[in-house]
Amino acid sequence: MYINASGYYIPEERVDNQHFLELNGLTSEWIEQRTGIKTRSKARAEENVNTMGLEAVRRALPQLPYDITEVDLIIQASYSPYDTVATGAHVAQREFHIVNAKAMYLSSACSSFLNALEVVEGYFCMGKASKALIISADKNSAYSNETDPKAGHLWGDAAAAFFISKERVKETDAEVLEIVTQGLGHIGKGPEGVQLRPRDGGIMMPEGRDVFIQACTYMPKNVLYLLDKNGYTLDDLTYFVGHQANMRIMSNIAKQLNLPDEKFLQNIEELGNTGSVSSALVYAQNAKDFKKGDLIAITVFGGGYSAGAALIKL
């Protein structure tokens, strides 16, 4: 299957590290040293995952080589819904008059985008869809507790939209060679590692050390698996796009794989941890610079636990 177009939306406001000193006692230097984050994006009060997602779709439309009404599957991938009944997929269906599409919401923590990509692949294989729209977004600021010294300073807000087709539509389409995802609720701290319980403190990461260990294990492991299965080596990889959770995770992975810094694409320093959209966002931000022949790996690890990776060839 093929990526026909992508777009993204990042709120204008940036919250710097100094904001948290009086809230949770953490200095700017401590936050930057431990996470790599200097600022994080913050949506306006009237914005939500649906409004941000719609704007990401609009920004993808100029690249789209067919009419949006040809889309027959819409998936909103997120863990911070604005409405748990009328999903962002249904909002997009109405906004853009995509009358013949199936519409649904999918959540698997920070793996949501890659799980949505795999669901699209399944619908394509079953012959039940041929053109899909994935809208990935999280408004972490709607749920985060800034006074929490473990995770209150991590989160950013953003959205990305991807149009996917079963067959190649234009020569410049990027091919999704393969996707792998995993449910990992049985390992480590599992479902207790990261939590979003709206009535009980919002989004929290009580088991950050365990999350770090598992992310440093499964994110590179899945990339190596896909490279080997598809006849490639690390030397063939043009770019590595990891979930933007913590710069120390990326540094650990770079050391494990002996990959140079220029192969890592990231945005965490400015935008913070934007959740399930983070890796998709990095891809969309850099899509205009990708060249024919580039080989790109996207890999994620999320709460629950969950993990996944995709190999993409230009």
Side-chain angles (χ1 to χ4, degrees):
M1 62 184 181
Y2 300 86
I3 299 172
N4 316 122
S6 63
Y8 62 92
Y9 173 74
I10 303 169
E12 291 183 4
E13 183 178 349
R14 300 289 180 271
V15 178
D16 64 27
N17 288 343
Q18 191 64 29
H19 171 76
F20 296 93
L21 182 59
E22 291 187 9
L23 293 171
N24 59 23
L26 301 180
T27 66
S28 177
E29 294 76 17
W30 189 94
I31 293 173
E32 185 178 348
Q33 181 184 27
R34 296 298 182 97
T35 68
I37 299 170
K38 293 183 178 179
T39 62
R40 65 281 295 141
S41 52
K42 184 176 182 179
R44 299 189 304 271
E46 66 270 22
E47 292 181 309
N48 55 62
V49 291
N50 296 353
T51 62
M52 292 193 295
L54 291 178
E55 186 58 34
V57 173
R58 293 187 189 101
R59 296 183 182 191
L61 289 179
Q63 311 164 37
L64 192 64
Y66 47 83
D67 194 282
I68 192 173
T69 59
E70 293 181 33
V71 166
D72 48 13
L73 175 62
I74 309 169
I75 302 176
Q76 183 186 37
S78 173
Y79 58 70
S80 57
Y82 172 70
D83 187 334
T84 60
V85 177
T87 78
H90 297 88
V91 172
Q93 181 176 42
R94 185 178 183 88
E95 176 72 15
F96 299 106
H97 309 290
I98 313 173
V99 299
N100 295 314
K102 302 170 181 65
M104 68 185 74
Y105 175 90
L106 183 153
S107 179
S108 55
C110 292
S111 298
S112 298
F113 172 75
L114 282 179
N115 279 103
L117 197 61
E118 191 172 52
V119 168
V120 168
E121 180 184 43
Y123 270 84
F124 286 175
C125 289
M126 291 187 292
K128 292 190 173 186
S130 62
K131 292 184 174 75
L133 168 59
I134 300 174
I135 305 171
S136 182
D138 276 308
K139 185 180 179 181
N140 288 295
S141 62
Y143 294 99
S144 64
N145 175 3
E146 293 184 337
T147 65
D148 171 25
K150 290 188 176 181
H153 51 285
L154 298 177
W155 312 107
D157 305 328
F162 281 69
F163 287 90
I164 315 289
S165 64
K166 182 176 182 179
E167 306 296 340
R168 184 184 293 275
V169 179
K170 62 183 191 297
E171 182 61 31
T172 55
D173 286 347
E175 183 178 5
V176 181
L177 298 177
E178 190 164 355
I179 309 156
V180 60
T181 67
Q182 299 158 305
L184 297 168
H186 59 289
I187 69 167
K189 300 297 183 179
E192 297 302 313
V194 186
Q195 304 163 3
L196 201 175
R197 299 167 182 168
R199 287 183 156 186
D200 187 21
I203 184 168
M204 306 183 81
M205 193 182 299
E207 303 292 347
R209 178 61 182 165
D210 193 60
V211 173
F212 181 91
I213 292 169
Q214 307 302 344
C216 290
T217 299
Y218 284 91
M219 286 169 64
K221 179 180 178 179
N222 284 332
V223 170
L224 292 173
Y225 167 79
L226 288 183
L227 287 170
D228 181 66
K229 188 175 178 184
N230 286 273
Y232 295 106
T233 68
L234 278 172
D235 291 336
D236 299 313
L237 194 63
T238 312
Y239 296 114
F240 185 107
V241 179
H243 169 45
Q244 304 294 290
N246 188 312
M247 192 72 84
R248 290 198 301 163
I249 293 175
M250 290 298 102
S251 298
N252 183 288
I253 292 171
K255 186 175 181 180
Q256 286 186 58
L257 301 181
N258 195 28
L259 282 176
D261 290 344
E262 57 266 25
K263 290 199 174 188
F264 284 83
L265 299 179
Q266 47 209 18
N267 60 23
I268 189 171
E269 181 178 292
E270 178 191 358
L271 303 181
N273 181 347
T274 51
S276 64
V277 68
S278 75
S279 58
L281 180 63
V282 172
Y283 183 99
Q285 285 179 290
N286 290 276
K288 65 183 183 302
D289 299 320
F290 295 150
K291 301 177 179 62
K292 188 169 180 61
D294 282 353
L295 185 66
I296 302 152
I298 296 178
T299 186
V300 301
F301 184 85
Y305 289 137
S306 58
L311 199 59
I312 300 169
K313 182 72 180 287
L314 271 290

